[in-house]
Amino acid sequence: MEKPLKAPAASEVAKEKQEAEERSAPSGKVVYRTILAEGEEELKRPSAALFWSGLAAGLSMGFSMLMEGLLASHLPDAPWRPLVAKLGYSAGFLVVILGRQQLFTENTLTPILPLLQHLNLATLRNVLRLWAIVLVANMIGALAVALTVAHTTAFEPEAQAAFAEIGHKALAHGFGTTLLKGIFAGWLIALMVWLLPYAESARVLVIIFITYLVGIGEFSHIIAGSIETFTVAAMGQASWGQVVGLFVVPTLLGNILGGTTLVALLNHGQVTAGELEAEI
């Protein structure tokens, strides 16, 4: 006769359940709580700390244009050249994100979640404080990089020509198209922030994949693109009014819309809706 199977011990069941939870992907609620905690921590940071971190990020983002331009200047003029050169676009993002520096487009997601949680005037003022300081600091860093590239002999003429070509491409579209491209960029960067907390060893690959998509799609990023367009203006090949009116303003609006509306609001909605359903 066959012996009846023994029921697994309670400790074994608990161990198996714990192992299953560890192997499963984190739920949207867990990711939400992680980013919410990060956002609340960012809102507590003093203004001076935000400024210096934002300035460092603005300077570091210059590596995106520099790497892309240097690659392009050393590659043959072939149809596949942009596919390789755009890999350089990820360089600045890697430095900024892994270095935990303050980048404006990341902040279209993290501090918005605490605002959506509390919905009070004090939190709104704090979010606007963080946005203003980080954006201004990022743009100062971007301008410093552009002036250095345009008015020094740090780079060979071939590289400077490649930098100028990148800037002209960023200025090649009208207000509406740049706005739309900015929405896509803001959406992707905020999605990247959403993916990173539990990416673990794949963090670098996630950053490269998302930012390469932004670069190859020529989506408008307020800091990376400002460095490119500021460089063209500093070289005297475009007016500052053209740069501000045709790139900076629509890109800034697009990045905010893409980051806050398509990512922060939607992910906040899916988590809070799930909580409401659980209560019912």
Side-chain angles (χ1 to χ4, degrees):
M1 293 179 63
E2 293 183 1
K3 293 182 179 180
L5 294 174
K6 290 183 179 180
S11 59
E12 292 180 3
V13 173
K15 184 179 179 181
E16 290 172 358
K17 184 177 180 182
Q18 181 181 356
E19 186 178 347
E21 289 176 353
E22 289 174 352
R23 290 176 178 273
S24 63
S27 67
K29 187 182 293 187
V30 173
V31 177
Y32 178 90
R33 296 297 180 193
T34 303
I35 298 175
L36 175 63
E38 289 180 6
E40 289 175 340
E41 190 65 31
E42 293 298 332
L43 290 173
K44 293 176 184 176
R45 294 188 68 180
S47 298
L50 289 172
F51 177 83
W52 290 113
S53 183
L55 180 62
L59 294 169
S60 298
M61 283 303 298
F63 290 113
S64 285
M65 182 188 74
L66 297 180
M67 187 72 171
E68 180 184 344
L70 290 171
L71 283 172
S73 68
H74 286 87
L75 291 169
D77 187 9
W80 49 263
R81 182 171 73 166
L83 296 175
V84 178
K86 282 297 179 182
L87 286 170
Y89 187 79
S90 300
F93 291 95
L94 282 167
V95 174
V96 167
I97 295 168
L98 297 180
R100 303 292 293 174
Q101 298 168 356
Q102 289 285 337
L103 185 64
F104 179 78
T105 43
E106 285 187 89
N107 285 320
T108 56
L109 175 64
T110 46
I112 291 298
L113 297 188
L115 176 60
L116 294 173
Q117 276 283 326
H118 304 300
L119 287 177
N120 57 50
L121 193 57
T123 307
L124 175 60
R125 282 198 299 264
N126 206 3
V127 170
L128 293 177
R129 173 189 72 93
L130 185 148
W131 275 11
I133 293 169
V134 171
L135 178 61
V136 169
N138 284 174
M139 296 298 269
I140 292 172
L143 181 61
V145 172
L147 292 174
T148 301
V149 170
H151 296 297
T152 69
T153 55
F155 299 97
E156 297 295 327
E158 294 81 5
Q160 287 195 326
F163 301 148
E165 182 181 354
I166 294 169
H168 283 298
K169 283 184 178 179
L171 285 171
H173 311 286
F175 188 99
T177 301
T178 303
L179 174 67
L180 186 58
K181 285 178 172 286
I183 290 173
F184 276 106
W187 185 6
L188 286 166
I189 298 301
L191 276 175
M192 179 182 68
V193 175
W194 185 266
L195 294 172
L196 284 177
Y198 288 90
E200 298 178 350
S201 59
R203 285 173 63 85
V204 170
L205 291 177
V206 169
I207 296 168
I208 292 174
F209 176 77
I210 297 293
T211 55
Y212 179 73
L213 181 54
V214 173
I216 203 68
E218 297 185 355
F219 300 135
S220 305
H221 184 273
I222 184 59
I223 308 305
S226 288
I227 294 170
E228 297 164 0
T229 54
F230 286 177
T231 299
V232 174
M235 289 176 173
Q237 298 180 22
S239 70
W240 288 100
Q242 185 182 5
V243 167
V244 172
L246 290 180
F247 184 84
V248 174
V249 172
T251 299
L252 179 60
L253 293 174
N255 286 176
I256 292 173
L257 285 171
T260 58
T261 306
L262 295 176
V263 179
L265 285 175
L266 290 178
N267 285 311
H268 173 78
Q270 72 160 342
V271 171
T272 54
E275 289 177 349
L276 288 174
E277 288 173 6
E279 290 175 3
I280 293 171

